[in-house]
Amino acid sequence: MRADAQRNYDKIVAAAAEVFTERGMDAPLDEIATRAEVGPGTLYRHFATREDLIDAVVKSWMAQIDSAATEAVESDLPTREVLQKWFNTYVARISRNRGGPSKFATAMGKPDSPIYSKCEVLRLANDRVLTRLRDKGALRADVDALEVCRLVGGVAVVADQAELGPDDVSSMLGIVIEGLLRE
Amino acid sequence: MRADAQRNYDKIVAAAAEVFTERGMDAPLDEIATRAEVGPGTLYRHFATREDLIDAVVKSWMAQIDSAATEAVESDLPTREVLQKWFNTYVARISRNRGGPSKFATAMGKPDSPIYSKCEVLRLANDRVLTRLRDKGALRADVDALEVCRLVGGVAVVADQAELGPDDVSSMLGIVIEGLLRE
DNA sequence: ACCTGAACACCGTTCAAGT
DNA sequence: ACCTGAACACCGTTCAAGT
């Protein structure tokens, strides 16, 4: 990649991160281009779709997800509390920008989505946590990570769209958690 | 309301029901006006926002919701099965049009939404079913109907956006149901 | 190879002119 | 009182002309 192209690419991603934070992930691409000081055509050259741009922006979130999952795996707190903390963190991360949860929910399990690799990271992180708890005999045997991603993702989407606070999120997650525990 | 206004109102609602079914609830209002054979201004005169139009279209769905709730209340099947059937019906009804679940999820619990009265119908239907099962001692005591509307609504949103089939919906609902049962 | 920005398309929304 | 449709605004997307 030519030096000026690389520079523009970086400026676009930085501008997108800002604009997504201020106005949500459905913000006008126009404003991103303007703030990055490039023409709209340049944005399209680097990112054919909005999802390709989202993929670049959320790349930096994934390390945080992974370290939260590791913390959950290594925790020796009661299962309920481990899951409360993990799911709350998970929801907070994917809800960082308005409109974000919906993007992940739509792409989850769709291999041809531009953000599929990020959905895979989310699924694998969940899988690590769930597998560990299942090995301890704390979870129902038939719990699938993709399914949990979707369900917890659904909580995130609803909370995002209805502008719910952390308490509402926690209590919805509480029901999901009870549904996952071995009875 | 003048006779011609009433006629246009009815034509718009009928056209909207068709277009929403074919192209989802985010379909262009333009196409609805065209199909109803009215100008765009006439559509706006009757329905100031898209949500006002949605409210008129879903009005006819509510009797079906209520009768499904009544059936659930009167059923003497095991709690798990009653809830599976009820939630599956609930999700199916609010998912009748693409993009529909998201509209309800956004409006649920927002008194100033144009479709708030319909959200209330959904909440009360859920409340009837949940209260009945709680009275039988089958449910956890702290389960709130609004919360369940949101959670099950979240399942519907995810299923709608990720284009999931009935099996995926049922298994997600299965987790929610386990989380609601008294343990 | 990459960038620019004018141009087009689409769609929501308004409003002056009509009946 | 109600309707029409032209007009405007906004935003996504493309592409001819440039460097």
Side-chain angles (χ1 to χ4, degrees), chain A residues 2-43:
Chain A
R2 227 165 67 178
D4 56 344
Q6 179 68 57
R7 207 168 45 81
N8 279 332
Y9 179 98
D10 294 339
K11 282 168 74 175
I12 291 168
V13 173
E18 275 182 35
V19 174
F20 285 164
T21 297
E22 291 167 22
R23 307 194 38 183
M25 280 192 162
D26 293 307
L29 296 177
D30 206 23
E31 185 165 330
I32 295 171
T34 303
R35 194 165 318 192
E37 298 175 303
V38 300
T42 303
L43 196 154

Side-chain angles (χ1 to χ4, degrees), chain A:
Chain A
M1 195 184 276
R2 227 165 67 178
D4 56 344
Q6 179 68 57
R7 207 168 45 81
N8 279 332
Y9 179 98
D10 294 339
K11 282 168 74 175
I12 291 168
V13 173
E18 275 182 35
V19 174
F20 285 164
T21 297
E22 291 167 22
R23 307 194 38 183
M25 280 192 162
D26 293 307
L29 296 177
D30 206 23
E31 185 165 330
I32 295 171
T34 303
R35 194 165 318 192
E37 298 175 303
V38 300
T42 303
L43 196 154
Y44 275 87
R45 155 167 276 267
H46 288 294
F47 304 98
T49 70
R50 178 184 291 272
E51 289 208 311
D52 284 295
L53 181 52
I54 290 174
D55 186 65
V57 169
V58 302
K59 201 172 174 184
S60 64
W61 303 4
M62 294 302 136
Q64 304 176 328
I65 290 274
D66 272 327
S67 73
T70 299
E71 195 183 330
V73 166
E74 291 172 354
S75 170
D76 48 6
L77 291 171
T79 306
R80 236 178 280 266
E81 281 150 56
V82 174
L83 284 178
Q84 265 292 356
K85 189 170 181 192
W86 161 242
F87 286 154
N88 266 300
T89 305
Y90 182 93
V91 169
R93 293 295 179 208
I94 67 174
S95 305
R96 178 164 174 165
N97 296 152
R98 217 160 0 109
S102 174
K103 304 296 177 191
F104 289 109
T106 303
M108 188 66 62
K110 289 192 172 174
D112 45 341
S113 163
I115 60 172
Y116 179 67
S117 66
K118 305 306 176 290
C119 291
E120 277 296 282
V121 172
L122 296 176
R123 193 177 64 76
L124 289 172
N126 244 317
D127 196 43
R128 282 170 57 211
V129 176
L130 296 174
T131 299
R132 167 74 179 128
L133 295 175
R134 192 165 37 223
D135 287 350
K136 289 205 296 187
L139 290 193
R140 284 167 52 189
D142 59 342
V143 170
D144 173 58
L146 177 56
E147 197 173 28
V148 172
C149 279
R150 284 176 169 149
L151 196 43
V152 175
V155 170
V157 173
V158 168
D160 185 52
Q161 292 187 355
E163 299 174 280
L164 304 182
D167 289 351
D168 284 320
V169 171
S170 287
S171 72
M172 281 194 279
L173 290 176
I175 294 174
V176 173
I177 289 168
E178 292 304 320
L180 296 176
L181 294 174
R182 174 175 221 110
E183 285 154 31

Side-chain angles (χ1 to χ4, degrees), chain B residues 118-132:
Chain B
K118 304 308 175 287
C119 291
E120 277 297 282
V121 172
L122 296 177
R123 193 176 64 74
L124 289 172
N126 244 317
D127 196 43
R128 282 169 59 210
V129 176
L130 296 174
T131 298
R132 167 75 180 126

Side-chain angles (χ1 to χ4, degrees), chain B residues 66-172:
Chain B
D66 272 328
S67 72
T70 299
E71 195 184 331
V73 165
E74 292 172 352
S75 169
D76 49 7
L77 291 172
T79 306
R80 236 178 281 266
E81 279 150 58
V82 173
L83 284 178
Q84 265 293 355
K85 189 171 182 191
W86 161 242
F87 286 155
N88 266 301
T89 304
Y90 183 93
V91 169
R93 294 292 179 211
I94 67 174
S95 304
R96 177 165 174 164
N97 296 152
R98 217 160 357 110
S102 175
K103 304 297 178 192
F104 289 109
T106 302
M108 187 67 61
K110 289 192 171 173
D112 46 341
S113 163
I115 60 172
Y116 180 67
S117 65
K118 304 308 175 287
C119 291
E120 277 297 282
V121 172
L122 296 177
R123 193 176 64 74
L124 289 172
N126 244 317
D127 196 43
R128 282 169 59 210
V129 176
L130 296 174
T131 298
R132 167 75 180 126
L133 295 175
R134 192 166 36 224
D135 287 350
K136 289 205 298 186
L139 290 193
R140 284 167 51 189
D142 59 342
V143 169
D144 174 57
L146 178 56
E147 196 173 30
V148 172
C149 278
R150 284 177 169 148
L151 196 43
V152 175
V155 171
V157 173
V158 168
D160 185 51
Q161 292 187 355
E163 299 174 280
L164 304 182
D167 289 352
D168 283 320
V169 171
S170 286
S171 70
M172 282 192 281

